[in-house]
Amino acid sequence: MLRHLVKAVFGIVREGAGYARTAVVERDVTTRDRRRAEAVLGFLLHMGPIYIKLGQVAATRSDLLSPDWVNTLRTLQDQTPHMSRSDTRRAVERELGGPLESVFPTFDLEPVASASVAQVHVAELPDGRKVAVKLVKDGVPEEIEKSLRAMSTLLRLVDRCSSRARQLDVSRRFDEVARLLRPQADMEQEARQQQRIGDNFSGHAYVRVPAVQHELVTTRMLVMEFVDGIPGKYAHRVGISRRQLAQRMQDTVNTMLYLHGLSHGDPHPGNVMFTPTGKIVLLDFGVTAELSEDEKWGLSSFYYACIRKEWQVAIDRFTRFFVQAGPELISRRAEYDADMTRTLTFHFDISSNRWSTVSYFNDVNEVLRTYSSRYTANFTKVELVFLSGEGFASQVDPGIDIWANARKFTDRYSPYMSAEVEARFQEVFSQQMPTSLQLRERAAGVLVAPTHIDRYFFPSVFPVFVHRASGGRVSDFDGNEYLDLCGGYGPHLLGYGHPAVKAALVEGLEGGLVNGMGHPREVELAELLVDAFPAAERALLCNSGTEAVLFAVRMCRGHRRRHKVAKFEGHYHGFSDQGMVSSWFRFAGDRDVPEPIAGSLGSDPGTVNNTLVLQYGDLPGLDRLREYAEDLACVIVEPMPTSVVALNAPFLAALRRECTELDIPLVFDEVVSGFRVAYGGVQVMTGIEPDLTCLGKVIGGGLPCGAVVGRAGLIDMAKSSQDPFSDYENRIFAGGTLSGNSLTCAAGVAVLRHLKAHPELYRQLDDHTGRLAAMLSRAAHDRGIACRVKARNSIFSVTFSHNAPELYRDRMTGSNFKATIALAYYMRKHGVYLPELHSFLISAAHTLDDLDEIAHAFAKSLDEMLADHLFVT
């Protein structure tokens, strides 16, 4: 809408406003364009803040306007008329409620910049710190309101007189823009948005947001850290190439839109500075664009479908997330789809090497107008951000390839930055492991392997087929040996083929494979499990961690006679419908009040809706347990979420207290962490005891196994009462033909006995974890790559991201998935098997030399990834 207003204003002026002609009659100008541009400049300054804002947007459109127009209108970005020195002093003292010198020992009353709404001054605090003071000009809030009301009245008159205006719903669209522009004079609102965006970019290699002095912020004054930089219009003075600087600009805008979901709303040159070394300093957060989780998902999923040339999928996604469809579009959907297909085909296929964001949005808008429909209000803001940001980037580097740079974000769920890199991998692996690739093709005809080949969301393009596994290594059928950092996703804590486990398995085989009948090993395994957990009184054996969670939740529902389950966003509890709720890469609801969303197609909606989703680490969020206490069967949590390798003991203690007070069973999912982080898991490390614990992985010694241990009153819900009628009314069913079979129990007993007898293994694993994590972090830091390595107790998480996210959803949406997946294949080239996009693990079988080899492969991989342009630096 703002773009259309820009066109409208310029159309009026170009048709010859008398004021404008008079303003330039005696000027010594050299070109006709210059005269017209100066006429428009005078007109906009005369009309006030809203019109100046239109001129600022126009000044970024070097693809639409000539250099004379752009250069002339740029003065609106930081050189508009400002208040007198006396008026400035009066305004500052009004905001301070006292003498200026009482807060600012020095204050330059001459502004260093003046734009449509505010002017900026340099001052000094009593402690010597230099600050920038942004002061709203007197009368501006009233002028903004007056202009918006006048324009609104005018557009409503136009709406009455023009069927075309009614078709476009001009007046309502203007109301949306007015809501965007009104807060510009509210410095308290701007300070809050500046702080949020600053937090999002905390630790970023080349983006900086000045820190806010919140104690000095008022409705009309914003005080912030002073940053001395090069104004955006002088980008040519920056000490890096124009190409690199433009890429950084575009990357910054895309990071805000696609990853953070909160973006600077008007990134024109007047709102951006550069340091001499090429860092980007963002200023002026009066206009911001904020996207919901659905909209961020929609943005990525729409563009990804366009990349794959799946036009109908793209149209469906775009229309669902970003179009307010009118009756005409709905009734003529087939025609609309055909028109949109032609538009998308042209821009994303035929002319993708000459990408023009302006042309693209114009063509899409034209299709929507044809069917009396329009963008959603929020996508109007997104359009403005794209146009301003990419317009600025194009001014910095006229040769910038907008679309190629955007691919980092638009197809961030695919493993390659370019077709060239993919082809190179294909060539390397065809020579390195041809048998594995042949087996991959053979499997494709008969097998769906969702764990290691056809992985949900992130399939493995170059899987390794293992011939032998021993200690901390695996070998394929082509003679390649890999240091293994998967460990079967957790079971092989002692490494592959440990002597104690092999001996137990031989003994178990000689005794016959017993299941469905009693044998000593299942009793012994249960005794070891109960003994390992201080609060445990009983154990129930099953075949996997998923089954353990299913049984634990069923026990709690039976015990409490309630159906709703509370869990935490991003915590995965196996592949059951309940276990996957809000566990993956799709989230819903507000950060503080997340909403349950199915983890997969085919999930039972009733189960999903019977889930209360909380945020791990959010203490105030625990109040929601009180709100839902009467409906809750239990609370289930990964005490140390392995996907992000986090442990928040104070939060777990508060959760335990809350559940005890409300008499809600607390379930720890220690399927991964149980016996891996310590003998007895996280609860032994922290001293925080749940009512039930779900186990798996390590306790089976590499064979399928699961268990629930805990309070007798809950575990006994699966124990017969000797009365079949009472069983049906008061007990839960827990079955499993192979549960507690003799071979699995023999292996599990051998592992637990060995771990109990050798506590030094845990100290060794912790030492090795710290050593490897330090080497990986150093390799990334030395190369200037934004990479977060989180590690503890043999579990690692590597995230290519500039910040340390507090919430799981922030980690997922803020990560460079493309680089993370690609890393697995680069490492595979260098003899290290790293699972694609998963936490990775070391085992007790890994030596110090192995760790050095892993770190060396990681460093070589990062060098190759830099050369293949997987990172913007």
Side-chain angles (χ1 to χ4, degrees):
M1 178 64 192
L2 198 53
R3 180 164 53 84
H4 296 306
L5 289 175
V6 171
K7 286 185 175 181
V9 171
F10 279 76
I12 293 170
V13 177
R14 280 174 169 172
E15 287 173 8
Y19 166 82
R21 284 196 298 270
T22 303
V24 299
V25 68
E26 294 182 354
R27 288 179 183 246
D28 181 19
V29 291
T30 58
T31 68
R32 186 178 181 187
D33 266 359
R34 178 73 58 80
R35 289 195 300 272
R36 289 179 171 177
E38 290 187 354
V40 170
L41 176 65
F43 172 77
L44 297 177
L45 289 171
H46 177 75
M47 294 300 292
I50 294 300
Y51 294 84
I52 292 172
K53 176 61 64 179
L54 302 179
Q56 291 173 344
V57 174
T60 67
R61 304 313 317 158
S62 53
D63 50 345
L64 296 177
L65 300 174
S66 72
D68 281 337
W69 278 87
V70 170
N71 291 333
T72 301
L73 295 178
R74 275 181 179 172
T75 61
L76 296 172
Q77 293 168 349
D78 58 5
Q79 298 176 35
T80 62
H82 55 81
M83 293 189 293
S84 68
R85 297 169 68 90
S86 58
D87 286 343
T88 297
R89 172 179 282 276
R90 189 180 307 112
V92 173
E93 293 184 337
R94 179 189 64 226
E95 299 307 306
L96 294 176
L100 184 150
E101 288 76 13
S102 65
V103 175
F104 303 111
T106 63
F107 189 104
D108 189 348
L109 292 170
E110 194 68 26
V112 293
S114 178
S116 58
V117 172
Q119 56 194 52
V120 180
H121 298 261
V122 179
E124 192 176 277
L125 296 175
D127 60 9
R129 282 179 296 157
K130 205 172 182 181
V131 292
V133 180
K134 184 175 181 180
L135 186 66
V136 176
K137 301 175 187 178
D138 286 345
V140 162
E142 295 78 13
E143 287 184 44
I144 289 176
E145 191 59 38
K146 180 180 177 182
S147 295
L148 290 175
R149 286 179 180 174
M151 295 173 83
S152 177
T153 300
L154 175 62
L155 289 172
R156 278 172 170 72
L157 289 173
V158 172
D159 195 62
R160 292 180 183 177
C161 303
S162 168
S163 60
R164 181 63 167 166
R166 287 193 298 274
Q167 184 184 41
L168 294 176
D169 203 3
V170 170
S171 60
R172 181 176 295 186
R173 293 185 73 181
F174 174 76
D175 289 342
E176 293 163 0
V177 173
R179 281 195 297 273
L180 176 69
L181 296 176
R182 277 193 175 94
Q184 284 194 101
D186 184 348
M187 294 296 102
E188 291 176 325
Q189 164 72 8
E190 180 169 336
R192 286 191 292 271
Q193 297 300 78
Q194 181 167 334
Q195 184 66 54
R196 291 177 64 196
I197 293 176
D199 289 344
N200 288 340
F201 278 113
S202 175
H204 197 282
Y206 57 79
V207 178
R208 184 175 174 187
V209 176
V212 176
Q213 297 293 126
H214 289 283
E215 70 279 6
L216 295 177
V217 174
T218 68
T219 304
R220 295 198 177 191
M221 186 175 73
L222 169 59
V223 181
M224 72 193 92
E225 167 193 13
F226 177 80
V227 179
D228 191 10
I230 299 168
K233 61 186 177 183
Y234 299 129
H236 59 279
R237 298 178 182 174
V238 178
I240 62 174
S241 71
R242 301 288 287 268
R243 176 176 175 273
Q244 185 181 14
L245 189 60
Q247 284 183 336
R248 287 184 173 186
M249 271 302 306
Q250 189 184 350
D251 182 82
T252 300
V253 169
N254 287 341
T255 295
M256 289 187 288
L257 286 175
Y258 285 97
L259 305 188
H260 298 162
L262 175 63
S263 176
H264 192 297
D266 193 14
H268 63 66
N271 291 336
V272 176
M273 291 196 307
F274 303 110
T275 67
T277 59
K279 289 188 177 182
I280 295 167
V281 183
L282 298 177
L283 306 167
D284 193 346
F285 300 88
V287 179
T288 55
E290 193 159 359
L291 282 76
S292 67
E293 289 296 326
D294 279 350
E295 289 169 323
K296 285 195 293 183
W297 179 270
L299 201 60
S300 290
S301 65
F302 161 66
Y303 281 117
Y304 187 57
C306 290
I307 291 164
R308 295 166 62 89
K309 302 178 185 179
E310 296 173 346
W311 309 123
Q312 189 56 54
V313 174
I315 293 164
D316 290 342
R317 288 172 176 170
F318 180 75
T319 307
R320 184 190 343 152
F321 289 108
F322 300 119
V323 174
Q324 289 191 349
E328 189 172 354
L329 187 153
I330 295 170
S331 64
R332 298 172 59 194
R333 181 59 191 258
E335 297 172 68
Y336 165 79
D337 287 352
D339 285 344
M340 281 291 287
T341 296
R342 282 190 288 272
T343 298
L344 297 182
T345 301
F346 175 77
H347 286 282
F348 289 95
D349 191 7
I350 298 172
S351 65
S352 60
N353 62 336
R354 300 184 304 277
W355 177 264
S356 168
T357 301
V358 174
S359 176
Y360 165 68
F361 279 126
N362 280 341
D363 290 350
V364 171
N365 264 311
E366 187 58 38
V367 173
L368 293 177
R369 283 196 294 269
T370 300
Y371 296 92
S372 303
S373 297
R374 59 192 177 91
Y375 293 142
T376 60
N378 230 21
F379 197 74
T380 299
K381 300 179 188 178
V382 171
E383 178 190 29
L384 175 61
V385 175
F386 273 130
L387 290 172
S388 294
E390 293 178 2
F392 185 11
S394 297
Q395 287 181 356
V396 173
D397 175 20
I400 189 173
D401 189 335
I402 293 290
W403 182 236
N405 294 336
R407 286 285 296 269
K408 173 185 172 183
F409 295 87
T410 56
D411 66 340
R412 64 195 178 97
Y413 293 120
S414 67
Y416 308 109
M417 177 55 89
S418 67
E420 291 78 13
V421 176
E422 179 176 4
R424 204 149 54 240
F425 273 130
Q426 183 66 44
E427 181 180 358
V428 168
F429 289 128
S430 294
Q431 296 176 11
Q432 178 177 318
M433 52 181 198
T435 306
S436 285
L437 298 190
Q438 290 167 11
L439 286 168
R440 178 193 66 183
E441 299 309 313
R442 180 178 163 191
V446 293
L447 173 68
V448 174
T451 304
H452 56 282
I453 302 177
D454 307 296
R455 188 184 300 107
Y456 183 76
F457 223 88
F458 296 105
S460 180
V461 183
F462 300 110
V464 171
F465 281 77
V466 177
H467 182 226
R468 292 188 182 279
S470 178
R473 296 175 181 262
V474 297
S475 302
D476 67 15
F477 288 87
D478 294 298
N480 301 299
E481 188 175 78
Y482 304 88
L483 272 164
D484 176 57
L485 296 180
C486 178
Y489 295 115
H492 300 289
L493 177 62
L494 298 178
Y496 294 100
H498 190 275
V501 177
K502 289 168 72 172
L505 291 177
V506 170
E507 180 185 345
L509 286 170
E510 290 176 348
L513 304 179
V514 178
N515 64 285
M517 299 175 67
H519 57 85
R521 288 289 182 257
E522 71 174 330
V523 178
E524 187 174 358
L525 180 57
E527 288 173 340
L528 284 167
L529 293 176
V530 170
D531 179 65
F533 298 94
E537 299 169 311
R538 299 278 195 279
L540 179 146
L541 302 180
C542 53
N543 293 299
S544 70
T546 293
E547 285 188 13
V549 169
L550 282 167
F551 287 145
V553 170
R554 185 177 292 175
M555 290 170 184
C556 293
R557 282 184 172 141
H559 175 75
R560 283 271 292 172
R561 309 296 172 109
R562 304 287 191 274
H563 302 292
K564 190 177 283 289
V565 172
K567 67 165 303 220
F568 292 83
E569 190 171 80
H571 290 205
Y572 173 70
H573 303 294
F575 57 75
S576 70
D577 289 355
Q578 192 106 58
M580 291 194 301
V581 170
S582 300
S583 291
W584 295 97
F585 308 95
R586 185 79 165 89
F587 308 106
D590 186 76
R591 292 164 50 90
D592 300 323
V593 189
E595 298 172 3
I597 189 166
S600 165
L601 180 68
S603 296
D604 171 46
T607 301
V608 175
N609 292 332
N610 254 334
T611 308
L612 172 67
V613 182
L614 307 171
Q615 296 288 16
Y616 183 84
D618 177 20
L619 285 169
L622 293 180
D623 289 343
R624 298 177 70 203
L625 291 177
R626 294 183 176 277
E627 182 182 348
Y628 289 91
E630 290 304 311
D631 301 320
L632 286 172
C634 64
V635 178
I636 186 167
V637 62
E638 286 186 81
M640 191 175 95
T642 51
S643 60
V644 293
V645 194
L647 175 58
N648 189 329
F651 175 76
L652 292 175
L655 177 61
R656 175 67 277 180
R657 289 193 299 270
E658 202 80 8
C659 288
T660 300
E661 182 181 341
L662 298 173
D663 196 26
I664 301 171
L666 175 61
V667 181
F668 274 11
D669 178 348
E670 295 224 50
V671 171
V672 175
S673 58
F675 295 102
R676 173 167 283 278
V677 301
Y679 192 85
V682 173
Q683 55 201 272
V684 171
M685 290 169 54
T686 61
I688 300 166
E689 299 172 359
D691 299 297
L692 292 176
T693 299
C694 300
L695 298 167
K697 309 233 185 245
V698 171
I699 68 167
L703 276 65
C705 190
V708 185
V709 302
R711 287 170 39 200
L714 288 168
I715 302 287
D716 284 351
M717 290 297 298
K719 184 177 182 179
S720 173
S721 67
Q722 307 290 317
D723 177 347
F725 300 99
S726 178
D727 279 3
Y728 182 79
E729 294 173 349
N730 300 298
R731 294 288 187 267
I732 64 105
F733 176 77
T737 300
L738 295 172
S739 297
N741 71 81
S742 62
L743 199 61
T744 293
C745 289
V749 166
V751 170
L752 296 190
R753 279 179 176 171
H754 188 83
L755 290 172
K756 190 173 184 180
H758 296 281
E760 73 276 5
L761 289 178
Y762 288 107
R763 292 192 293 273
Q764 174 193 305
L765 282 166
D766 289 350
D767 290 343
H768 284 191
T769 301
R771 176 187 175 93
L772 181 57
M775 289 191 289
L776 300 182
S777 295
R778 187 164 56 249
H781 179 268
D782 290 347
R783 289 159 177 79
I785 295 172
C787 180
R788 298 281 176 175
V789 179
K790 297 193 69 176
R792 61 177 302 154
N793 310 107
S794 80
I795 306 173
F796 290 74
S797 171
V798 172
T799 305
F800 289 107
S801 176
H802 59 269
N803 62 0
E806 296 179 4
L807 302 183
Y808 180 82
R809 66 167 61 185
D810 295 334
R811 179 186 185 273
M812 287 295 101
T813 56
S815 297
N816 185 343
F817 289 114
K818 186 189 303 299
T820 307
I821 299 170
L823 173 66
Y825 301 131
Y826 285 96
M827 295 283 279
R828 215 158 289 179
K829 284 172 55 182
H830 300 300
V832 177
Y833 183 85
L834 187 73
E836 299 95 332
L837 212 69
H838 198 286
S839 297
F840 66 87
L841 311 159
I842 58 173
S843 74
H846 287 120
T847 66
L848 290 176
D849 287 342
D850 290 339
L851 303 185
D852 291 340
E853 189 176 333
I854 293 166
H856 181 65
F858 183 71
K860 289 175 66 176
S861 297
L862 293 184
D863 288 336
E864 293 174 359
M865 294 168 75
L866 279 168
D868 288 335
H869 307 294
L870 268 81
F871 306 107
V872 176
T873 57

